[in-house]
C-alpha cells in the first residue's frame, strides 16, 4: 500500500493538523516508510506462536479481592467543601 499526497492532506484535515505543502512531501515519504515496515512485519510467519503480553513471562502478585471503605471516611470528607450524612454535597448539574 502506498500513501499519496492526497492521503496525507486528508489525514491532516481529519486530525485537524495544519500541514504546509512543503511538509506534505516529507510526510508522504515518512508514512510510506512506516507502511513498508508494516508490510515487512506481515511477511513474518507467526503460525503456532502464542500471543504474548510481555517479552518476559512474569506473574503479577495477586491479593485477595476484598471490598473495603478504608475506614477513613472522616479523613476523606475533611477536604470536602460540604458534606452531609457521610457523603459529598455537590451542586445540581442536571435540571
Amino acid at each position: 500500500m502506498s500513501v499519496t499526497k492526497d492521503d496525507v492532506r486528508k489525514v491532516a484535515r481529519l486530525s485537524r493538523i495544519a500541514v504546509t505543502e512543503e511538509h506534505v512531501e516529507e510526510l508522504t515519504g515518512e508514512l510510506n516508510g512506516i507502511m513498508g515496515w508494516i508490510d515487512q512485519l506481515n511477511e513474518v510467519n507467526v503460525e503456532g506462536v502464542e500471543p504474548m503480553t510481555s517479552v518476559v513471562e512474569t506473574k503479577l502478585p495477586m491479593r485477595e479481592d476484598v471490598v473495603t471503605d478504608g475506614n477513613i471516611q472522616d479523613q476523606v470528607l475533611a477536604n470536602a467543601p460540604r458534606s452531609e450524612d457521610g457523603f459529598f454535597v455537590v451542586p445540581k448539574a442536571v435540571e
Side-chain angles (χ1 to χ4, degrees):
M1 180 178 164
S2 178
V3 178
T4 65
K5 291 180 184 180
D6 289 334
D7 294 332
V8 171
R9 288 184 195 100
K10 182 176 181 179
V11 170
R13 182 179 52 80
L14 291 173
S15 58
R16 300 184 193 282
I17 298 174
V19 177
T20 62
E21 280 302 314
E22 298 81 31
H23 201 60
V24 168
E25 183 73 37
E26 180 183 343
L27 287 174
T28 303
E30 288 180 13
L31 289 174
N32 278 320
I34 292 169
M35 297 304 286
W37 279 103
I38 293 171
D39 287 340
Q40 189 177 5
L41 286 173
N42 284 333
E43 295 173 5
V44 175
N45 182 9
V46 292
E47 194 68 36
V49 177
E50 290 291 321
M52 298 171 34
T53 57
S54 173
V55 294
V56 179
E57 191 171 331
T58 59
K59 295 281 186 191
L60 293 175
M62 301 298 280
R63 63 171 173 76
E64 189 176 337
D65 191 14
V66 178
V67 177
T68 177
D69 65 357
N71 295 323
I72 57 170
Q73 182 182 32
D74 295 334
Q75 292 173 359
V76 171
L77 292 175
N79 290 325
R82 286 185 57 208
S83 64
E84 188 175 298
D85 298 325
F87 296 97
F88 292 101
V89 176
V90 297
K92 186 175 182 179
V94 179
E95 292 295 323

